[in-house]
Amino acid sequence: MVSFEMTDRKKIGLGLTGFGIFFSFLGIVFFFDKGFLAMGNILFISGVSLTIGPKSTMEFFMKRQNFKGTISFGAGFFFVVIGWPVIGMILEAYGFIVLFSGFWPTLAVFIQKIPFIGWVFQQPYVRSSLNCSMSVLGLDIMPACIGTLEHTELICVI
């Protein structure tokens, strides 16, 4: 059974994850500064490990369906560290999308419940654009979470 109580370890893990995202953002803003990006990656991975635990972290990254994302994220981290931050961030972004693709439906439902942003995401043009972009990535989240488009035919040109 999963424990949902907020222990000190989980609080620290969430803080480290947040700082990891913040440092990664700073690394991108400062023209792919490899120091910020490397620090962001280290903080993000350590934060995830503390939040869900080391055993769950290893199980998550070593799942068969996550191998592609894990290898891509690891290769991206390696490229950031050796001084090729643009290539590294592209690989990391792809790995992040593949690794956390199971969480996109939950995120879509959460976004729908935000007052103004939910209304924007329910508009037909936004829904069709997101549906097309997610199908390109191999993720089918929008019909399950937002519903089907009424009175509109969706054509995705790839």
Side-chain angles (χ1 to χ4, degrees):
M1 186 166 145
V2 178
S3 173
F4 291 112
E5 68 183 43
M6 189 59 84
T7 63
D8 287 339
R9 182 180 54 87
K10 288 182 181 180
K11 290 177 187 176
I12 293 169
L14 288 173
L16 287 176
T17 304
F19 278 119
I21 293 169
F22 177 69
F23 274 93
S24 295
F25 174 74
L26 283 178
I28 293 170
V29 167
F30 290 128
F31 302 110
F32 294 98
D33 180 63
K34 71 177 184 176
F36 278 129
L37 293 173
M39 182 64 75
N41 288 335
I42 293 168
L43 289 172
F44 180 78
I45 295 297
S46 61
V48 168
S49 297
L50 281 175
T51 302
I52 65 174
K55 182 180 177 190
S56 297
T57 302
M58 290 303 290
E59 288 174 0
F60 175 74
F61 283 106
M62 296 302 161
K63 278 187 203 172
R64 184 164 173 77
Q65 67 262 25
N66 290 349
F67 274 161
K68 194 169 27 170
T70 301
I71 290 170
S72 176
F73 193 84
F77 179 72
F78 174 74
F79 280 119
V80 166
V81 170
I82 66 169
W84 294 356
V86 176
I87 294 171
M89 285 306 294
I90 290 170
L91 283 170
E92 282 184 13
Y94 174 73
F96 185 81
I97 289 170
V98 171
L99 279 172
F100 296 101
S101 62
F103 299 110
W104 298 126
T106 305
L107 182 64
V109 170
F110 175 74
I111 286 174
Q112 276 186 328
K113 297 192 184 301
I114 299 173
F116 177 73
I117 297 172
W119 176 80
V120 170
F121 276 88
Q122 291 177 0
Q123 299 307 310
Y125 177 73
V126 175
R127 270 199 269 176
S128 64
S129 299
L130 286 174
N131 204 8
C132 286
S133 62
M134 290 298 144
S135 66
V136 167
L137 294 173
L139 306 172
D140 188 27
I141 65 164
M142 298 312 287
C145 296
I146 296 178
T148 59
L149 294 173
E150 298 168 7
H151 312 295
T152 307
E153 184 175 323
L154 177 62
I155 299 174
C156 239
V157 179
I158 302 173

PDB file of all heavy atoms in Angstrom, residues 34-66:
ATOM      1  N   LYS A  34      25.976  25.196 -18.815  1.00  0.00           N
ATOM      2  CA  LYS A  34      26.079  23.792 -18.421  1.00  0.00           C
ATOM      3  C   LYS A  34      26.163  23.611 -16.909  1.00  0.00           C
ATOM      4  O   LYS A  34      25.759  22.575 -16.397  1.00  0.00           O
ATOM      5  CB  LYS A  34      27.245  23.110 -19.124  1.00  0.00           C
ATOM      6  CG  LYS A  34      28.615  23.511 -18.664  1.00  0.00           C
ATOM      7  CD  LYS A  34      29.665  22.700 -19.389  1.00  0.00           C
ATOM      8  CE  LYS A  34      31.025  23.042 -18.831  1.00  0.00           C
ATOM      9  NZ  LYS A  34      32.061  22.213 -19.423  1.00  0.00           N
ATOM     10  N   GLY A  35      26.650  24.594 -16.171  1.00  0.00           N
ATOM     11  CA  GLY A  35      26.697  24.493 -14.718  1.00  0.00           C
ATOM     12  C   GLY A  35      25.309  24.442 -14.110  1.00  0.00           C
ATOM     13  O   GLY A  35      25.016  23.586 -13.266  1.00  0.00           O
ATOM     14  N   PHE A  36      24.452  25.373 -14.522  1.00  0.00           N
ATOM     15  CA  PHE A  36      23.072  25.381 -14.019  1.00  0.00           C
ATOM     16  C   PHE A  36      22.328  24.124 -14.447  1.00  0.00           C
ATOM     17  O   PHE A  36      21.570  23.542 -13.667  1.00  0.00           O
ATOM     18  CB  PHE A  36      22.312  26.613 -14.520  1.00  0.00           C
ATOM     19  CG  PHE A  36      22.557  27.858 -13.716  1.00  0.00           C
ATOM     20  CD1 PHE A  36      22.911  29.037 -14.340  1.00  0.00           C
ATOM     21  CD2 PHE A  36      22.425  27.861 -12.344  1.00  0.00           C
ATOM     22  CE1 PHE A  36      23.133  30.189 -13.623  1.00  0.00           C
ATOM     23  CE2 PHE A  36      22.633  29.008 -11.602  1.00  0.00           C
ATOM     24  CZ  PHE A  36      22.998  30.176 -12.247  1.00  0.00           C
ATOM     25  N   LEU A  37      22.520  23.710 -15.695  1.00  0.00           N
ATOM     26  CA  LEU A  37      21.815  22.535 -16.185  1.00  0.00           C
ATOM     27  C   LEU A  37      22.245  21.267 -15.447  1.00  0.00           C
ATOM     28  O   LEU A  37      21.410  20.440 -15.077  1.00  0.00           O
ATOM     29  CB  LEU A  37      22.032  22.365 -17.695  1.00  0.00           C
ATOM     30  CG  LEU A  37      21.392  23.449 -18.570  1.00  0.00           C
ATOM     31  CD1 LEU A  37      21.809  23.273 -20.014  1.00  0.00           C
ATOM     32  CD2 LEU A  37      19.889  23.422 -18.439  1.00  0.00           C
ATOM     33  N   ALA A  38      23.538  21.117 -15.223  1.00  0.00           N
ATOM     34  CA  ALA A  38      24.029  19.941 -14.493  1.00  0.00           C
ATOM     35  C   ALA A  38      23.514  19.950 -13.055  1.00  0.00           C
ATOM     36  O   ALA A  38      23.082  18.912 -12.527  1.00  0.00           O
ATOM     37  CB  ALA A  38      25.554  19.897 -14.522  1.00  0.00           C
ATOM     38  N   MET A  39      23.549  21.121 -12.414  1.00  0.00           N
ATOM     39  CA  MET A  39      23.045  21.226 -11.045  1.00  0.00           C
ATOM     40  C   MET A  39      21.547  20.918 -11.006  1.00  0.00           C
ATOM     41  O   MET A  39      21.070  20.216 -10.100  1.00  0.00           O
ATOM     42  CB  MET A  39      23.304  22.634 -10.493  1.00  0.00           C
ATOM     43  CG  MET A  39      22.859  22.802  -9.065  1.00  0.00           C
ATOM     44  SD  MET A  39      23.749  21.782  -7.910  1.00  0.00           S
ATOM     45  CE  MET A  39      25.266  22.657  -7.834  1.00  0.00           C
ATOM     46  N   GLY A  40      20.804  21.422 -11.985  1.00  0.00           N
ATOM     47  CA  GLY A  40      19.377  21.135 -12.060  1.00  0.00           C
ATOM     48  C   GLY A  40      19.098  19.655 -12.211  1.00  0.00           C
ATOM     49  O   GLY A  40      18.190  19.106 -11.568  1.00  0.00           O
ATOM     50  N   ASN A  41      19.883  18.978 -13.041  1.00  0.00           N
ATOM     51  CA  ASN A  41      19.697  17.537 -13.231  1.00  0.00           C
ATOM     52  C   ASN A  41      19.982  16.764 -11.952  1.00  0.00           C
ATOM     53  O   ASN A  41      19.233  15.864 -11.574  1.00  0.00           O
ATOM     54  CB  ASN A  41      20.609  17.025 -14.346  1.00  0.00           C
ATOM     55  CG  ASN A  41      20.149  17.477 -15.706  1.00  0.00           C
ATOM     56  OD1 ASN A  41      18.985  17.766 -15.908  1.00  0.00           O
ATOM     57  ND2 ASN A  41      21.083  17.541 -16.637  1.00  0.00           N
ATOM     58  N   ILE A  42      21.074  17.110 -11.283  1.00  0.00           N
ATOM     59  CA  ILE A  42      21.441  16.414 -10.045  1.00  0.00           C
ATOM     60  C   ILE A  42      20.370  16.625  -8.976  1.00  0.00           C
ATOM     61  O   ILE A  42      19.947  15.675  -8.306  1.00  0.00           O
ATOM     62  CB  ILE A  42      22.822  16.882  -9.555  1.00  0.00           C
ATOM     63  CG1 ILE A  42      23.905  16.420 -10.532  1.00  0.00           C
ATOM     64  CG2 ILE A  42      23.103  16.377  -8.145  1.00  0.00           C
ATOM     65  CD1 ILE A  42      25.255  17.056 -10.310  1.00  0.00           C
ATOM     66  N   LEU A  43      19.906  17.865  -8.829  1.00  0.00           N
ATOM     67  CA  LEU A  43      18.877  18.150  -7.833  1.00  0.00           C
ATOM     68  C   LEU A  43      17.562  17.450  -8.176  1.00  0.00           C
ATOM     69  O   LEU A  43      16.869  16.930  -7.296  1.00  0.00           O
ATOM     70  CB  LEU A  43      18.662  19.653  -7.697  1.00  0.00           C
ATOM     71  CG  LEU A  43      19.798  20.429  -7.030  1.00  0.00           C
ATOM     72  CD1 LEU A  43      19.544  21.931  -7.146  1.00  0.00           C
ATOM     73  CD2 LEU A  43      19.946  20.020  -5.589  1.00  0.00           C
ATOM     74  N   PHE A  44      17.199  17.431  -9.458  1.00  0.00           N
ATOM     75  CA  PHE A  44      15.946  16.796  -9.872  1.00  0.00           C
ATOM     76  C   PHE A  44      15.971  15.296  -9.581  1.00  0.00           C
ATOM     77  O   PHE A  44      15.038  14.752  -8.986  1.00  0.00           O
ATOM     78  CB  PHE A  44      15.683  17.045 -11.363  1.00  0.00           C
ATOM     79  CG  PHE A  44      14.419  16.421 -11.854  1.00  0.00           C
ATOM     80  CD1 PHE A  44      13.197  17.000 -11.591  1.00  0.00           C
ATOM     81  CD2 PHE A  44      14.446  15.237 -12.573  1.00  0.00           C
ATOM     82  CE1 PHE A  44      12.021  16.421 -12.033  1.00  0.00           C
ATOM     83  CE2 PHE A  44      13.286  14.649 -13.027  1.00  0.00           C
ATOM     84  CZ  PHE A  44      12.080  15.239 -12.758  1.00  0.00           C
ATOM     85  N   ILE A  45      17.037  14.623  -9.987  1.00  0.00           N
ATOM     86  CA  ILE A  45      17.131  13.172  -9.774  1.00  0.00           C
ATOM     87  C   ILE A  45      17.176  12.845  -8.279  1.00  0.00           C
ATOM     88  O   ILE A  45      16.502  11.920  -7.812  1.00  0.00           O
ATOM     89  CB  ILE A  45      18.361  12.594 -10.495  1.00  0.00           C
ATOM     90  CG1 ILE A  45      18.207  12.738 -12.000  1.00  0.00           C
ATOM     91  CG2 ILE A  45      18.588  11.130 -10.118  1.00  0.00           C
ATOM     92  CD1 ILE A  45      17.058  11.971 -12.586  1.00  0.00           C
ATOM     93  N   SER A  46      17.953  13.620  -7.506  1.00  0.00           N
ATOM     94  CA  SER A  46      18.006  13.346  -6.065  1.00  0.00           C
ATOM     95  C   SER A  46      16.670  13.655  -5.395  1.00  0.00           C
ATOM     96  O   SER A  46      16.261  12.949  -4.468  1.00  0.00           O
ATOM     97  CB  SER A  46      19.143  14.138  -5.406  1.00  0.00           C
ATOM     98  OG  SER A  46      18.939  15.518  -5.563  1.00  0.00           O
ATOM     99  N   GLY A  47      15.957  14.673  -5.872  1.00  0.00           N
ATOM    100  CA  GLY A  47      14.644  14.992  -5.319  1.00  0.00           C
ATOM    101  C   GLY A  47      13.622  13.905  -5.599  1.00  0.00           C
ATOM    102  O   GLY A  47      12.841  13.528  -4.718  1.00  0.00           O
ATOM    103  N   VAL A  48      13.630  13.388  -6.819  1.00  0.00           N
ATOM    104  CA  VAL A  48      12.720  12.291  -7.149  1.00  0.00           C
ATOM    105  C   VAL A  48      13.043  11.069  -6.297  1.00  0.00           C
ATOM    106  O   VAL A  48      12.152  10.392  -5.779  1.00  0.00           O
ATOM    107  CB  VAL A  48      12.786  11.962  -8.663  1.00  0.00           C
ATOM    108  CG1 VAL A  48      12.083  10.661  -8.971  1.00  0.00           C
ATOM    109  CG2 VAL A  48      12.177  13.087  -9.484  1.00  0.00           C
ATOM    110  N   SER A  49      14.347  10.801  -6.117  1.00  0.00           N
ATOM    111  CA  SER A  49      14.754   9.646  -5.302  1.00  0.00           C
ATOM    112  C   SER A  49      14.288   9.784  -3.857  1.00  0.00           C
ATOM    113  O   SER A  49      13.841   8.811  -3.248  1.00  0.00           O
ATOM    114  CB  SER A  49      16.269   9.490  -5.328  1.00  0.00           C
ATOM    115  OG  SER A  49      16.709   9.219  -6.624  1.00  0.00           O
ATOM    116  N   LEU A  50      14.413  10.976  -3.294  1.00  0.00           N
ATOM    117  CA  LEU A  50      13.961  11.177  -1.916  1.00  0.00           C
ATOM    118  C   LEU A  50      12.445  11.167  -1.797  1.00  0.00           C
ATOM    119  O   LEU A  50      11.901  10.715  -0.791  1.00  0.00           O
ATOM    120  CB  LEU A  50      14.501  12.494  -1.365  1.00  0.00           C
ATOM    121  CG  LEU A  50      15.950  12.479  -0.894  1.00  0.00           C
ATOM    122  CD1 LEU A  50      16.387  13.881  -0.493  1.00  0.00           C
ATOM    123  CD2 LEU A  50      16.124  11.524   0.268  1.00  0.00           C
ATOM    124  N   THR A  51      11.761  11.661  -2.820  1.00  0.00           N
ATOM    125  CA  THR A  51      10.302  11.745  -2.743  1.00  0.00           C
ATOM    126  C   THR A  51       9.657  10.374  -2.808  1.00  0.00           C
ATOM    127  O   THR A  51       8.783  10.055  -1.999  1.00  0.00           O
ATOM    128  CB  THR A  51       9.754  12.635  -3.873  1.00  0.00           C
ATOM    129  OG1 THR A  51      10.347  13.922  -3.769  1.00  0.00           O
ATOM    130  CG2 THR A  51       8.249  12.765  -3.782  1.00  0.00           C
ATOM    131  N   ILE A  52      10.068   9.542  -3.758  1.00  0.00           N
ATOM    132  CA  ILE A  52       9.411   8.239  -3.902  1.00  0.00           C
ATOM    133  C   ILE A  52      10.220   7.095  -3.325  1.00  0.00           C
ATOM    134  O   ILE A  52       9.746   5.966  -3.292  1.00  0.00           O
ATOM    135  CB  ILE A  52       9.049   7.959  -5.375  1.00  0.00           C
ATOM    136  CG1 ILE A  52      10.288   7.827  -6.250  1.00  0.00           C
ATOM    137  CG2 ILE A  52       8.113   9.008  -5.906  1.00  0.00           C
ATOM    138  CD1 ILE A  52       9.990   7.420  -7.684  1.00  0.00           C
ATOM    139  N   GLY A  53      11.436   7.359  -2.884  1.00  0.00           N
ATOM    140  CA  GLY A  53      12.273   6.327  -2.285  1.00  0.00           C
ATOM    141  C   GLY A  53      13.227   5.716  -3.293  1.00  0.00           C
ATOM    142  O   GLY A  53      12.930   5.662  -4.491  1.00  0.00           O
ATOM    143  N   PRO A  54      14.383   5.245  -2.821  1.00  0.00           N
ATOM    144  CA  PRO A  54      15.388   4.709  -3.745  1.00  0.00           C
ATOM    145  C   PRO A  54      14.929   3.456  -4.494  1.00  0.00           C
ATOM    146  O   PRO A  54      15.195   3.306  -5.684  1.00  0.00           O
ATOM    147  CB  PRO A  54      16.583   4.389  -2.849  1.00  0.00           C
ATOM    148  CG  PRO A  54      16.230   4.813  -1.487  1.00  0.00           C
ATOM    149  CD  PRO A  54      14.831   5.293  -1.464  1.00  0.00           C
ATOM    150  N   LYS A  55      14.210   2.565  -3.810  1.00  0.00           N
ATOM    151  CA  LYS A  55      13.755   1.338  -4.469  1.00  0.00           C
ATOM    152  C   LYS A  55      12.739   1.656  -5.569  1.00  0.00           C
ATOM    153  O   LYS A  55      12.840   1.136  -6.686  1.00  0.00           O
ATOM    154  CB  LYS A  55      13.139   0.390  -3.442  1.00  0.00           C
ATOM    155  CG  LYS A  55      12.688  -0.919  -4.027  1.00  0.00           C
ATOM    156  CD  LYS A  55      12.084  -1.831  -2.991  1.00  0.00           C
ATOM    157  CE  LYS A  55      11.584  -3.107  -3.646  1.00  0.00           C
ATOM    158  NZ  LYS A  55      10.788  -3.908  -2.731  1.00  0.00           N
ATOM    159  N   SER A  56      11.779   2.516  -5.272  1.00  0.00           N
ATOM    160  CA  SER A  56      10.779   2.894  -6.277  1.00  0.00           C
ATOM    161  C   SER A  56      11.420   3.654  -7.434  1.00  0.00           C
ATOM    162  O   SER A  56      10.993   3.518  -8.580  1.00  0.00           O
ATOM    163  CB  SER A  56       9.689   3.754  -5.640  1.00  0.00           C
ATOM    164  OG  SER A  56       8.995   3.022  -4.664  1.00  0.00           O
ATOM    165  N   THR A  57      12.443   4.449  -7.138  1.00  0.00           N
ATOM    166  CA  THR A  57      13.138   5.181  -8.187  1.00  0.00           C
ATOM    167  C   THR A  57      13.816   4.216  -9.149  1.00  0.00           C
ATOM    168  O   THR A  57      13.700   4.361 -10.374  1.00  0.00           O
ATOM    169  CB  THR A  57      14.183   6.139  -7.582  1.00  0.00           C
ATOM    170  OG1 THR A  57      13.526   7.040  -6.696  1.00  0.00           O
ATOM    171  CG2 THR A  57      14.891   6.935  -8.652  1.00  0.00           C
ATOM    172  N   MET A  58      14.519   3.236  -8.595  1.00  0.00           N
ATOM    173  CA  MET A  58      15.175   2.248  -9.450  1.00  0.00           C
ATOM    174  C   MET A  58      14.156   1.450 -10.258  1.00  0.00           C
ATOM    175  O   MET A  58      14.357   1.193 -11.446  1.00  0.00           O
ATOM    176  CB  MET A  58      16.039   1.298  -8.614  1.00  0.00           C
ATOM    177  CG  MET A  58      17.269   1.957  -8.028  1.00  0.00           C
ATOM    178  SD  MET A  58      18.337   2.709  -9.265  1.00  0.00           S
ATOM    179  CE  MET A  58      18.973   1.260 -10.060  1.00  0.00           C
ATOM    180  N   GLU A  59      13.050   1.074  -9.624  1.00  0.00           N
ATOM    181  CA  GLU A  59      12.011   0.348 -10.350  1.00  0.00           C
ATOM    182  C   GLU A  59      11.423   1.197 -11.465  1.00  0.00           C
ATOM    183  O   GLU A  59      11.159   0.706 -12.558  1.00  0.00           O
ATOM    184  CB  GLU A  59      10.904  -0.097  -9.396  1.00  0.00           C
ATOM    185  CG  GLU A  59      11.303  -1.214  -8.465  1.00  0.00           C
ATOM    186  CD  GLU A  59      10.237  -1.540  -7.440  1.00  0.00           C
ATOM    187  OE1 GLU A  59       9.164  -0.882  -7.444  1.00  0.00           O
ATOM    188  OE2 GLU A  59      10.466  -2.440  -6.622  1.00  0.00           O
ATOM    189  N   PHE A  60      11.218   2.494 -11.195  1.00  0.00           N
ATOM    190  CA  PHE A  60      10.642   3.386 -12.201  1.00  0.00           C
ATOM    191  C   PHE A  60      11.574   3.539 -13.398  1.00  0.00           C
ATOM    192  O   PHE A  60      11.144   3.426 -14.548  1.00  0.00           O
ATOM    193  CB  PHE A  60      10.356   4.758 -11.578  1.00  0.00           C
ATOM    194  CG  PHE A  60       9.874   5.781 -12.566  1.00  0.00           C
ATOM    195  CD1 PHE A  60       8.596   5.714 -13.074  1.00  0.00           C
ATOM    196  CD2 PHE A  60      10.710   6.797 -12.988  1.00  0.00           C
ATOM    197  CE1 PHE A  60       8.147   6.646 -13.989  1.00  0.00           C
ATOM    198  CE2 PHE A  60      10.275   7.733 -13.899  1.00  0.00           C
ATOM    199  CZ  PHE A  60       8.994   7.660 -14.395  1.00  0.00           C
ATOM    200  N   PHE A  61      12.847   3.811 -13.140  1.00  0.00           N
ATOM    201  CA  PHE A  61      13.775   4.043 -14.241  1.00  0.00           C
ATOM    202  C   PHE A  61      14.166   2.756 -14.964  1.00  0.00           C
ATOM    203  O   PHE A  61      14.627   2.805 -16.102  1.00  0.00           O
ATOM    204  CB  PHE A  61      15.030   4.773 -13.750  1.00  0.00           C
ATOM    205  CG  PHE A  61      14.802   6.233 -13.522  1.00  0.00           C
ATOM    206  CD1 PHE A  61      14.712   6.733 -12.235  1.00  0.00           C
ATOM    207  CD2 PHE A  61      14.670   7.105 -14.584  1.00  0.00           C
ATOM    208  CE1 PHE A  61      14.495   8.086 -12.015  1.00  0.00           C
ATOM    209  CE2 PHE A  61      14.449   8.450 -14.375  1.00  0.00           C
ATOM    210  CZ  PHE A  61      14.360   8.945 -13.091  1.00  0.00           C
ATOM    211  N   MET A  62      14.008   1.607 -14.319  1.00  0.00           N
ATOM    212  CA  MET A  62      14.415   0.340 -14.936  1.00  0.00           C
ATOM    213  C   MET A  62      13.254  -0.456 -15.518  1.00  0.00           C
ATOM    214  O   MET A  62      13.449  -1.585 -15.950  1.00  0.00           O
ATOM    215  CB  MET A  62      15.162  -0.528 -13.917  1.00  0.00           C
ATOM    216  CG  MET A  62      16.448   0.078 -13.451  1.00  0.00           C
ATOM    217  SD  MET A  62      17.538   0.397 -14.860  1.00  0.00           S
ATOM    218  CE  MET A  62      18.652   1.568 -14.178  1.00  0.00           C
ATOM    219  N   LYS A  63      12.046   0.108 -15.522  1.00  0.00           N
ATOM    220  CA  LYS A  63      10.932  -0.580 -16.171  1.00  0.00           C
ATOM    221  C   LYS A  63      11.234  -0.754 -17.656  1.00  0.00           C
ATOM    222  O   LYS A  63      11.858   0.103 -18.281  1.00  0.00           O
ATOM    223  CB  LYS A  63       9.645   0.240 -16.048  1.00  0.00           C
ATOM    224  CG  LYS A  63       8.921   0.109 -14.767  1.00  0.00           C
ATOM    225  CD  LYS A  63       7.597   0.831 -14.874  1.00  0.00           C
ATOM    226  CE  LYS A  63       7.069   1.219 -13.536  1.00  0.00           C
ATOM    227  NZ  LYS A  63       5.894   2.086 -13.649  1.00  0.00           N
ATOM    228  N   ARG A  64      10.755  -1.843 -18.206  1.00  0.00           N
ATOM    229  CA  ARG A  64      11.025  -2.128 -19.615  1.00  0.00           C
ATOM    230  C   ARG A  64      10.496  -1.024 -20.532  1.00  0.00           C
ATOM    231  O   ARG A  64      11.171  -0.629 -21.467  1.00  0.00           O
ATOM    232  CB  ARG A  64      10.412  -3.471 -19.990  1.00  0.00           C
ATOM    233  CG  ARG A  64      10.724  -3.897 -21.401  1.00  0.00           C
ATOM    234  CD  ARG A  64      10.421  -5.380 -21.582  1.00  0.00           C
ATOM    235  NE  ARG A  64      10.548  -5.806 -22.935  1.00  0.00           N
ATOM    236  CZ  ARG A  64      11.695  -6.028 -23.556  1.00  0.00           C
ATOM    237  NH1 ARG A  64      12.819  -5.822 -22.924  1.00  0.00           N
ATOM    238  NH2 ARG A  64      11.718  -6.442 -24.799  1.00  0.00           N
ATOM    239  N   GLN A  65       9.307  -0.516 -20.271  1.00  0.00           N
ATOM    240  CA  GLN A  65       8.742   0.530 -21.137  1.00  0.00           C
ATOM    241  C   GLN A  65       9.425   1.886 -20.930  1.00  0.00           C
ATOM    242  O   GLN A  65       9.239   2.784 -21.731  1.00  0.00           O
ATOM    243  CB  GLN A  65       7.236   0.648 -20.964  1.00  0.00           C
ATOM    244  CG  GLN A  65       6.795   1.165 -19.610  1.00  0.00           C
ATOM    245  CD  GLN A  65       6.401   0.055 -18.675  1.00  0.00           C
ATOM    246  OE1 GLN A  65       6.856  -1.080 -18.805  1.00  0.00           O
ATOM    247  NE2 GLN A  65       5.558   0.371 -17.703  1.00  0.00           N
ATOM    248  N   ASN A  66      10.241   2.026 -19.881  1.00  0.00           N
ATOM    249  CA  ASN A  66      10.935   3.284 -19.627  1.00  0.00           C
ATOM    250  C   ASN A  66      12.396   3.271 -20.054  1.00  0.00           C
ATOM    251  O   ASN A  66      13.100   4.264 -19.856  1.00  0.00           O
ATOM    252  CB  ASN A  66      10.862   3.638 -18.137  1.00  0.00           C
ATOM    253  CG  ASN A  66       9.472   4.036 -17.705  1.00  0.00           C
ATOM    254  OD1 ASN A  66       8.601   4.250 -18.527  1.00  0.00           O
ATOM    255  ND2 ASN A  66       9.264   4.117 -16.412  1.00  0.00           N
TER     256      ASN A  66
END
